[in-house]
Amino acid sequence: MNKFIKSTAISLMAVMMSFAAYAEDKPYQVVDGKISANAVEGWKTYNGGGCGACHGKGGIGAVGPNLGNSVTQKLSKKEFVNIVTNGKSGTLMRPNKTNKRVMDNMDNLYAYLVARGDDVLGPGNLIKLPLGK
Amino acid sequence: MSKLSIKNCLIALLALGLSTSVLANDEVRKLNENPNYWAFPGGDYNNWRYTELNQINTKNASKIVTAWTFSTGRLQGHEGGPLVLPSSATGLSGDTLYIHSSFPNDVFAISLDTLEIVWYFEPQQDEAETVPVMCCDIVNRGLGYSMGQIYLQQADTTLVALSAKDGSVKWKAENGRDIGYGPAAGDTNTNAPHPMKDKVITGCSGAEFGVRCWLAAFNAKDGSLAWRAFSMGPDEDILFDANTTSLGKKVGKDSSLKTWCTNADWKAPARGPSKCKGLSDAWKSGGGSTWGWWPADFEENLVYYGSGNPSTWNPVVRPGDNKWSMTMFARDIDTGVARWVYQMTPHDEWDYDGINEMILADIKVKGKMTPALVHFDRNGYGYTMNRKTGALLVAEKYDPAVNWSTHVDMKTGYPQTLDKYSTHHNGEDVVSKDVCPAALGTKDQQPAAFSPRTNLFYVPTNHVCMTYEPVSYAAGGNQYTAGQAYVNANLTMYPAGAVCPDCPNNNSAKDNMGNFIAWDAGTGKIVWNIVEQWSVWSGVLATAGDVVFYGTLDAYAKAVDAKSGKLLWKFKVPSGIIGNFNSWAHKGKQYVGILSGIGGWAGAVVAIPGLAAAPGEAALGAVGGYRKLLNSSRNSGVLMVFSLP
C-alpha cells in the first residue's frame, strides 16, 4: 500500500503490537492501541511551525528531507535538537531558536517524528486518533 | 524675512530639488544607454536585461572562454548580478565592478583594470535575529547605483548608501524597524534597491511571518523616507486616491479593507467580484511582500511592481479577495500614489506570489503597437497590460501544465478556478492533489529578458506541480504572533509530467522540471522552448548579437540562438546557477558575468548531506527529482566572467 495515502489508524493498528514490547525506550508510547499525547502535540507543532512548507505533510520530504527517516536512521536526538535550534549551515534549514512554540515542544516534535520514522504513525490527521497517556 | 524672499527661497529650493532629481535620473539613464556599463539591476529602466553589445554573436559564441573568476567567500545561494560603472560615476580610476554576496551581504568593488579588490564592505548584522526568519534561503539580489552611491538593502532591513569611491557609509535608513517591524517581527529583505530619480525604491519580505508588507522610497541624498505604500489596509496606508483604477474603473474608497471578510460562508474559489458580510482585521497581518525587479516609465512618472501572497497560506481563515495581495501596482515615483492596480490571483490558495519582474516594451499586441507591460506570474499566466492605462490585453498560460484555472476572464480579470484545485473549496486538513504549478510558480523571481531585435521575451520557467494541504488551527496551525512562522500549510512538489504526461514541452522521460521558452507577448504564445531537467532559476540576458544566456541548477552556463533556441555554447561552472547574467565591455572586449552558487527554494536540497539515501516515499515530493542534483553541484559563491578568447 502506498505509504502516502495510508491512513493513520491503519498504520497504527498494523504496527502497535511489534512496538509494544519496547515502547518504553521510545520517546512516544503506544498502549492499548493508543498513541501518547506528546506525539500528537508534536504533530501540531510540526504543522504550526511551518515545517511542512519544506518537509511536506507529516515530514514525508519535499524540498527538505524526510524527517521520520532522519531521526530514526541518521540523527541522534542531540543532533536533531541542534539542527532544529540552530539551523544547518549551507542549507535552507533555518534556526528555530526564536520560535518559542517549536523550542517549547522540541521533545514532542521529536516524539512525533520518531513515531513517523518507526511507521507507527502515518502522515495524516491525528485529531481523531484515540489518545493514550 | 519678507514674504517675497521666502517665496524666492521656496522656488530656489524647489528648483534645486527638481534639478537634483533630474540629474540623478539622467545620470543613471545615460549609463544605461552606454552598453559598456550595467548600472541598474535590470540593465535599463525597462528591465529588458538586454545589451547592445554584439561582439559575442551566434557565429562565434561557441568559442566563449572563462576570462576571470571571483569568490565571494560565502557558500549560500547567490542571486542577482554585478553592476559595472565608469570612473565618472565612481570617482575611481578606470571601470569598477560591484558584486554582493548572500548573507551577511558583503559588497566588493573590483577594479576591471587590475582585478584587485578596491574596497569591501562587511555589514554587521544580527545573524541570530535575522537568519531564522528568512523563509527561503539567505539570498540577496544585488546592488543599486545613483549619485556616486552604491545602495545595499541588508537582510536585517537596514538600507545602506555607500560611497562608490571608497565604500564609506554615507547614510543608513531603517526599512521596517521604524514602524515596529524588522527581523524581530519576521520582516527581512532580499531585494535589490532600485534607484529612480532622486529616490531609492526598496521592498519587504515576510509574508510567511504575517508581515504587512510595502514598497518604500527613500531620498537618495540623505536616506530620509519619502513615502511608504502598504500592500493592504486603509487608503491612507496603501496610498490610493480617488483616481486609482483597476481595469479602467475607479476602485473607490476602502478598496482593500472591503475584501477581508469574516463570513465563513464566503464562497471559494474567487471567480468574480464578491462582497463581505462582515469585515475582519486580518489585513493587519496580511503579507503581500515585494521582492522583485521593478522598472520605471518616466513619461508617466510611474514605477511598476507586484505584491506577494496574503498571509497565512491557509486560505480558509481569510475569506475575501484579500486585496491588494497578488497585485500589479503602477505608482507615482515621487508620491507613491497608485495610478492603477490589477489583482492577478484574488484570494490566493496556492502561494502564487505576484512579485515577479515587470518588463516594459512597446510591442505589437494583437496587431496594434502598444505601450506594454509584460509580466510572467507565479500563477502560470503571462500577462500583457497597457502600462499607461492598466488595461488587461493578454493573459495566457506560459506552461501547458498550468491547471488550477481554465483561463482569465478578460472583462473581470478573475482567473476561472476549478473546484478540484481550490484548496479552500476542498477544505482545511485536506490534501489537494496535482495542482499545477507548484507554490514556487511557473516562474519565480529569476527575471526574464526582452530583445528588441526579435521582439521576444526569454523566460526561465518551472514545470512542477504539488499537493497542498491548508492546516487548521485544530491541527496545530499558528495564530498570528509577530516573528513566528505563519504558514499553516503542508506541501509536496514533483515534476509536472506526472500530472500532464502529454504536455507538448515535456521530454521523453516526462520528468523534467523546467523549460526555457521564447514568448510572444503580443499573442501570448510560446515561440520555441528548450526542455530542461531542472527548474530554470537564472536571470536571462539577451544581446544584440542575437545570443541569449541562461544558467541551470545542474551548473551549466548556456548560450542559445535568440531566433531558434539552438544551443551555441555551454560550460560547467562550480555550482548551480540562480544568479542573473549581466554584460559589459572593458577595453573593447565584451564580457558576460554570472554568479554561480546554488540555493534558493528549488536548489535547497543540494546542500543537504544524506539526502541521496532518502527512501522511495520521498520520491513523491520534489526530493525524488531534485536529489539527483547532488551528482551535479555543491554550494559555491563565485562570479564567473566569460568572453571570447
Side-chain angles (χ1 to χ4, degrees):
Chain A
M1 184 182 289
N2 187 323
K3 290 180 181 176
F4 186 70
I5 59 172
K6 183 167 55 182
S7 79
T8 299
I10 290 172
S11 173
L12 186 62
M13 288 294 290
V15 296
M16 64 182 183
M17 294 303 292
S18 61
F19 279 90
Y22 55 94
E24 286 182 4
D25 297 333
K26 296 289 183 181
Y28 60 87
Q29 301 287 308
V30 179
V31 179
D32 297 333
K34 297 175 181 176
I35 187 78
S36 51
N38 64 337
V40 177
E41 280 305 307
W43 168 69
K44 290 181 178 177
T45 303
Y46 179 89
N47 282 339
C51 314
C54 290
H55 294 283
K57 184 180 178 68
I60 197 168
V63 173
N66 179 307
L67 294 178
N69 284 286
S70 292
V71 296
T72 55
Q73 298 174 22
K74 302 185 183 91
L75 303 174
S76 67
K77 184 178 180 185
K78 186 178 178 183
E79 289 168 331
F80 169 80
V81 170
N82 182 44
I83 291 173
V84 174
T85 304
N86 299 310
K88 194 167 179 64
S89 178
T91 77
L92 199 60
M93 181 64 194
R94 303 269 74 81
N96 282 277
K97 61 178 71 172
T98 57
N99 190 328
K100 186 173 186 308
R101 184 170 175 196
V102 169
M103 296 305 291
D104 289 350
N105 284 277
M106 187 70 78
D107 288 345
N108 296 335
L109 184 61
Y110 182 71
Y112 168 65
L113 292 173
V114 172
R116 284 282 297 120
D118 286 344
D119 216 9
V120 167
L121 293 175
N125 196 316
L126 304 186
I127 292 174
K128 294 175 182 174
L129 208 63
L131 290 182
K133 291 179 181 177
Chain B
M1 189 182 285
S2 70
K3 284 184 180 177
L4 187 62
S5 61
I6 291 173
K7 187 180 174 185
N8 284 345
C9 281
L10 286 173
I11 290 171
L13 283 171
L14 187 63
L16 187 64
L18 282 173
S19 65
T20 305
S21 166
V22 170
L23 283 173
N25 204 33
D26 285 352
E27 179 201 13
V28 180
R29 289 176 78 173
K30 277 184 183 172
L31 288 172
N32 287 339
E33 288 168 5
N34 186 337
N36 290 339
Y37 304 107
W38 195 280
F40 186 72
D44 67 15
Y45 279 113
N46 291 317
N47 258 357
W48 282 4
R49 306 196 53 73
Y50 169 82
T51 177
E52 286 288 352
L53 298 173
N54 60 6
Q55 195 174 74
I56 298 171
N57 56 49
T58 54
K59 290 188 173 64
N60 61 23
S62 63
K63 297 174 183 169
I64 293 173
V65 295
T66 304
W68 57 277
T69 63
F70 174 77
S71 171
T72 68
R74 306 291 175 184
L75 290 177
Q76 208 86 18
H78 278 63
E79 294 185 344
L83 297 181
V84 177
L85 298 167
S87 59
S88 59
T90 65
L92 291 163
S93 62
D95 297 341
T96 306
L97 178 145
Y98 297 85
I99 193 67
H100 61 286
S101 78
S102 54
F103 190 90
N105 312 141
D106 299 332
V107 180
F108 301 92
I110 299 172
S111 164
L112 289 183
D113 288 332
T114 65
L115 301 184
E116 296 290 320
I117 297 171
V118 179
W119 58 257
Y120 62 91
F121 175 71
E122 295 180 346
Q124 300 303 306
Q125 303 189 65
D126 186 339
E127 181 173 352
E129 182 185 61
T130 305
V131 169
V133 291
M134 297 189 74
C135 84
C136 311
D137 208 356
I138 52 176
V139 295
N140 183 283
R141 303 201 175 85
L143 309 166
Y145 167 80
S146 74
M147 297 167 60
Q149 299 175 138
I150 297 291
Y151 306 103
L152 169 68
Q153 178 58 74
Q154 295 180 185
D156 68 357
T157 70
T158 307
L159 177 66
V160 187
L162 304 169
S163 162
K165 185 174 184 181
D166 59 20
S168 60
V169 176
K170 308 298 281 187
W171 52 256
K172 288 186 177 183
E174 294 292 351
N175 178 36
R177 290 190 178 103
D178 56 320
I179 52 171
Y181 281 116
D187 164 33
T188 55
N189 275 112
T190 54
N191 66 277
H194 284 57
M196 290 177 188
K197 301 181 74 174
D198 59 346
K199 302 194 167 46
V200 184
I201 312 285
T202 189
C204 165
S205 297
E208 280 60 60
F209 295 83
V211 177
R212 180 169 67 119
C213 271
W214 61 83
L215 197 76
F218 291 85
N219 291 307
K221 65 178 180 180
D222 60 7
S224 58
L225 181 68
W227 52 263
R228 173 179 275 125
F230 288 87
S231 298
M232 60 271 306
D235 290 345
E236 59 268 29
D237 285 8
I238 61 177
L239 301 186
F240 279 30
D241 69 11
N243 296 316
T244 303
T245 64
S246 182
L247 300 186
K249 295 178 182 172
K250 292 182 177 177
V251 298
K253 196 172 181 307
D254 297 333
S255 60
S256 170
L257 298 179
K258 287 175 178 173
T259 63
W260 297 80
C261 313
T262 52
N263 46 304
D265 61 348
W266 185 86
K267 189 169 169 51
R271 298 194 188 100
S274 62
K275 286 188 176 177
C276 298
K277 291 179 182 172
L279 299 181
S280 85
D281 62 358
W283 56 268
K284 291 181 178 175
S285 52
S289 353
T290 53
W291 39 275
W293 310 94
W294 315 311
D297 180 335
F298 294 112
E299 285 182 12
E300 300 291 327
N301 206 42
L302 293 175
V303 54
Y304 303 89
Y305 71 101
S307 61
N309 61 285
S311 301
T312 171
W313 285 16
N314 173 8
V316 178
V317 300
R318 46 172 173 75
D321 281 355
N322 309 141
K323 287 182 168 60
W324 295 95
S325 64
M326 307 302 211
T327 295
M328 288 181 197
F329 289 86
R331 291 190 183 274
D332 186 281
I333 295 169
D334 295 325
T335 65
V337 171
R339 169 87 63 87
W340 62 261
V341 290
Y342 166 57
Q343 189 178 40
M344 296 169 283
T345 311
H347 188 65
D348 171 65
E349 308 175 48
W350 313 271
D351 186 38
Y352 292 154
D353 286 42
I355 65 90
N356 290 355
E357 77 284 3
M358 310 286 164
I359 305 175
L360 312 184
D362 294 340
I363 55 173
K364 276 190 177 175
V365 180
K366 296 175 180 171
K368 184 181 175 187
M369 279 305 292
T370 304
L373 176 155
V374 176
H375 169 77
F376 301 94
D377 199 63
R378 282 254 287 263
N379 72 11
Y381 287 94
Y383 294 92
T384 305
M385 315 288 293
N386 182 314
R387 69 173 178 267
K388 297 183 186 296
T389 66
L392 174 61
L393 305 174
V394 175
E396 296 291 341
K397 296 172 181 178
Y398 62 100
D399 179 357
V402 174
N403 66 7
W404 64 281
S405 56
T406 56
H407 65 286
V408 174
D409 182 314
M410 298 303 284
K411 286 186 178 172
T412 66
Y414 279 74
Q416 300 304 294
T417 306
L418 295 168
D419 283 351
K420 68 184 288 193
Y421 300 122
S422 167
T423 68
H424 185 152
H425 175 84
N426 294 338
E428 294 176 308
D429 307 321
V430 173
V431 178
S432 294
K433 296 176 182 171
D434 295 344
V435 185
C436 309
L440 41 70
T442 301
K443 194 179 84 60
D444 202 271
Q445 60 76 30
Q446 62 276 26
F450 170 73
S451 169
R453 290 171 57 84
T454 61
N455 280 315
L456 294 176
F457 292 78
Y458 300 96
V459 192
T461 75
N462 306 319
H463 191 55
V464 182
C465 303
M466 68 175 170
T467 68
Y468 190 110
E469 178 194 35
V471 170
S472 68
Y473 292 129
N478 263 359
Q479 300 277 355
Y480 173 72
T481 305
Q484 303 296 300
Y486 193 46
V487 179
N488 298 341
N490 296 323
L491 283 75
T492 56
M493 303 182 198
Y494 40 89
V499 178
C500 180
D502 300 323
C503 282
N505 57 354
N506 274 348
N507 64 6
S508 57
K510 310 292 186 193
D511 66 351
N512 67 302
M513 297 193 208
N515 283 295
F516 185 73
I517 67 170
W519 177 258
D520 181 342
T523 59
K525 288 185 167 39
I526 295 172
V527 177
W528 53 255
N529 78 290
I530 300 168
V531 171
E532 285 287 354
Q533 182 64 54
W534 316 108
S535 297
V536 186
W537 212 272
S538 83
V540 183
L541 171 72
T543 78
D546 288 336
V547 178
V548 173
F549 290 87
Y550 71 98
T552 63
L553 291 179
D554 56 341
Y556 279 97
K558 295 187 177 182
V560 299
D561 187 314
K563 292 175 181 167
S564 66
K566 179 189 172 189
L567 181 67
L568 303 171
W569 166 85
K570 71 174 184 177
F571 182 78
K572 181 81 174 176
V573 295
S575 178
I577 296 175
I578 60 171
N580 301 340
F581 282 85
N582 293 357
S583 187
W584 64 92
H586 183 64
K587 295 184 175 174
K589 195 162 197 171
Q590 181 182 359
Y591 294 90
V592 173
I594 181 68
L595 278 168
S596 163
I598 199 165
W601 200 352
V605 290
V606 171
I608 301 174
L611 197 65
E617 74 175 316
L620 286 166
V623 174
Y626 281 122
R627 74 180 177 203
K628 295 175 189 168
L629 273 173
L630 287 163
N631 298 333
S632 305
S633 181
R634 290 292 191 276
N635 290 39
S636 175
V638 173
L639 176 68
M640 300 292 298
V641 180
F642 302 107
S643 69
L644 293 173

